[in-house]
Amino acid sequence: MQFKKICVLGLGYIGLPTASTFATHGIEVVGVDVNRSVIETLRNGGLHIHEPGLRTLVSAALGSGKLRVSETPEPADAYIIAVPTPFTADKRADLNYVRNATEAILPFLSRGELIVLESTSPPGTTAGIVAQILERSGLKAGDDFHLAYSPERVLPGQILRELIDNARVIGGIQPCCAEMGRDLYKIFVRGDIILTDATTAEMVKLMENTYRDVNIAIANEFSRLADRFGIDVWETIQIANRHPRVDILRPGPGVGGHCISVDPWFLVEAAPDLTTLIQAARKVNDQQPQVIVELIQITLKEKGITLSESKIGVLGLTYKADIDDTRESPAIEICARLSRAGASVTAHDPYIGEYPGEDITNHRNLADAVADCDLVVLLVQHTPFKSLVPDDLKKMTRARLIVDAVNILDPGTWQQGGFQVRRLGVGN
Ligand code: SAJ
């Protein structure tokens, strides 16, 4: 099929780069978002999300006239659904955005067209929920129109490159649907395109992120063991990783972001009786913010300071290094726990503006965040923090206690520089 016009529903971290990339490859694209402020921001030349290179790409797409943005879909040859699938308070997939986007396509659906779901979804969503909604048109999925699932697999911070270079999985509800999906994505994808069925493609996505979650959990558990045994987990991991078949990930303050801390729950929800390991890994990673709070508490106690009367300077609030995203961020969870325990918290994250909540201020200047505190805690490996030196920090704060949850500081240098540094996973 020749794709002349496509409609991308959802203009977030995935939908906007995808719509813009199709447009810069010469396809007419209508980018749809139900959030009016997103549409207005884009129409006024602004951008509601931060991702390296995205501003240039979106400007080129809009400037060429190939990308238009709108609050409602239009007839098109293909529709791509890239809306969020958050989870509810009881950790079940909230498919309302997927349902609403699918229903929005319904009035325009015609014979021969292609619909692709990209949103992370529990196994069976495409062949079940999405197909059922679209078949209200009187057309049969697979026979009269094409329906496929193709997960996004791009890493925040590297989205534009990975969108094009990563291998792409396309699962059709019939083989012809996957083939039509391949024809669409090969417009810009340079990586391999792998065809399969829709439910396998949904499972691939969930397995990838769950695999990473479980591997981070074992690294976190190793850090607790190293602490108990009085050894250095970072050195231990480095040596273990010299084994040709071992690749242990990094312990840290926990797992954040909208993907890895969420997606494993979709498998737990679908099969609670078969997911013992996955549930245990989630529990380990979710406990990690409390582990850091306790590390802070012990460090303060050695100096006779209680957590409830302490002042803590927090460096880093995002869910990982060098991005502006605070969704499910363990650093935010740690700040909240410290606050609840009575500590006074001041923060500095150079990548974000306001602190996403009340009570705590994100200071533009590192010096302002640490000026009057008893202890400084490093929660994210942001590049600017790597160039911190003891002499500079000494001038900014009276604090001489540091908790390093991400192994960013060289302990020898900082100890010589007059600081007491306690690192995660390093028994004292
Ligand atoms: N983390 C650790 N230790 C590590 C690696 C990560 O504690 O060794 C933490 C990070 O600090 C962060 C969280 O895990 O809080 C997740 O970060 P990440 O870089 O592992 O992953 P995301 O969520 O930014 O992106 C993931 C990617 N999936 C995989 O690597 C399998 C990406 O390819 C997916 O497209 C994305 O999820 C998604 O949208 O699903």
Side-chain angles (χ1 to χ4, degrees):
M1 180 174 185
Q2 184 74 355
F3 295 98
K4 291 204 175 66
K5 181 176 173 187
I6 65 172
C7 199
V8 177
L9 291 94
L11 294 177
Y13 280 92
I14 302 304
L16 185 59
T18 304
S20 306
T21 305
F22 272 115
T24 54
H25 283 72
I27 308 293
E28 184 188 346
V29 184
V30 184
V32 179
D33 204 291
V34 291
N35 187 337
R36 177 174 298 175
S37 80
V38 167
I39 298 298
E40 276 168 9
T41 304
L42 289 168
R43 281 195 183 139
N44 294 330
L47 204 56
H48 56 294
I49 46 181
H50 174 82
E51 172 67 26
L54 187 59
R55 186 171 288 281
T56 313
L57 177 69
V58 172
S59 303
L62 289 168
S64 70
K66 288 288 182 186
L67 174 65
R68 281 184 293 117
V69 293
S70 167
E71 279 173 68
T72 45
E74 291 177 17
D77 302 318
Y79 302 85
I80 294 174
I81 301 172
V83 295
T85 38
F87 62 166
T88 58
D90 59 346
K91 312 230 186 273
R92 303 176 76 82
D94 175 357
L95 291 173
N96 279 326
Y97 293 106
V98 171
R99 278 200 193 86
N100 292 344
T102 311
E103 280 168 1
I105 296 169
L106 199 50
F108 306 101
L109 183 63
S110 304
R111 200 171 284 274
E113 290 172 354
L114 168 70
I115 291 90
V116 183
L117 177 64
E118 285 202 15
S119 313
T120 306
S121 302
T125 304
T126 308
I129 294 170
V130 176
Q132 275 162 23
I133 294 174
L134 294 173
E135 286 181 349
R136 285 195 229 141
S137 63
L139 300 172
K140 179 108 182 71
D143 294 344
D144 300 323
F145 64 90
H146 297 92
L147 178 60
Y149 179 79
S150 182
E152 57 82 8
R153 301 156 99 196
V154 291
L155 196 71
Q158 299 179 30
I159 291 179
L160 301 196
R161 185 181 60 73
E162 290 206 356
L163 197 61
I164 289 171
D165 289 339
N166 281 5
R168 185 107 208 173
V169 187
I170 302 175
I173 63 154
Q174 301 275 358
C176 62
C177 303
E179 284 159 18
M180 187 167 271
R182 177 191 53 206
D183 292 346
L184 176 66
Y185 285 98
K186 78 177 183 204
I187 291 171
F188 69 74
V189 170
R190 282 201 295 252
D192 291 338
I193 297 183
I194 302 137
L195 304 190
T196 182
D197 66 88
T199 307
T200 300
E202 288 162 345
M203 186 66 181
V204 164
K205 169 73 187 186
L206 296 174
M207 276 168 45
E208 289 167 355
N209 280 355
T210 303
Y211 171 84
R212 195 155 170 87
D213 196 41
V214 171
N215 278 287
I216 297 169
I218 192 81
N220 283 331
E221 198 156 283
F222 286 153
S223 82
R224 295 176 198 178
L225 291 170
D227 195 49
R228 166 89 49 97
F229 303 149
I231 55 174
D232 179 336
V233 76
W234 305 95
E235 182 194 357
T236 320
I237 290 176
Q238 203 178 25
I239 300 170
N241 282 352
R242 299 292 294 272
H243 184 288
R245 285 173 297 283
V246 174
D247 189 10
I248 302 166
L249 295 176
R250 297 173 61 87
V255 171
H258 51 299
C259 306
I260 296 191
S261 64
V262 175
D263 298 356
W265 290 112
F266 294 4
L267 292 176
V268 174
E269 173 187 352
D273 54 326
L274 299 178
T275 46
T276 317
L277 177 63
I278 297 171
Q279 293 181 51
R282 279 282 72 239
K283 192 170 164 193
V284 168
N285 289 335
D286 278 349
Q287 285 166 343
Q288 211 57 13
Q290 183 56 28
V291 169
I292 306 299
V293 170
E294 282 164 22
L295 215 53
I296 293 170
Q297 194 167 17
I298 295 168
T299 311
L300 288 167
K301 200 173 164 195
E302 285 167 358
K303 298 287 171 203
I305 308 169
T306 61
L307 192 55
S308 61
E309 68 192 17
S310 67
K311 294 181 174 172
I312 313 286
V314 170
L315 301 192
L317 293 169
T318 58
Y319 86 83
K320 67 174 187 177
D322 298 333
I323 57 163
D324 70 339
D325 195 338
T326 54
R327 284 178 291 177
E328 313 290 333
S329 172
I332 302 287
E333 175 67 23
I334 290 165
C335 288
R337 281 174 188 257
L338 290 170
S339 260
R340 278 203 300 274
S344 146
V345 180
T346 45
H348 168 66
D349 190 310
Y351 289 87
I352 64 168
E354 299 280 292
Y355 180 85
E358 289 164 13
D359 305 334
I360 294 170
T361 305
N362 179 40
H363 291 274
R364 282 259 151 223
N365 257 325
L366 194 153
D368 294 336
V370 297
D372 178 32
C373 66
D374 304 304
L375 179 148
V376 174
V377 57
L378 282 136
L379 296 179
V380 186
Q381 270 213 338
H382 285 320
T383 303
F385 297 162
K386 292 184 184 160
S387 49
L388 265 179
V389 290
D391 281 349
D392 288 346
L393 192 67
K394 254 186 181 163
K395 287 181 206 137
M396 298 177 199
T397 176
R398 63 181 167 81
R400 293 295 176 264
L401 300 176
I402 299 181
V403 167
D404 182 359
V406 283
N407 195 32
I408 195 172
L409 303 181
D410 175 57
T413 309
W414 283 80
Q415 259 135 28
Q416 267 179 11
F419 287 88
Q420 184 189 321
V421 180
R422 187 184 285 266
R423 289 184 296 153
L424 173 69
V426 182
N428 286 352

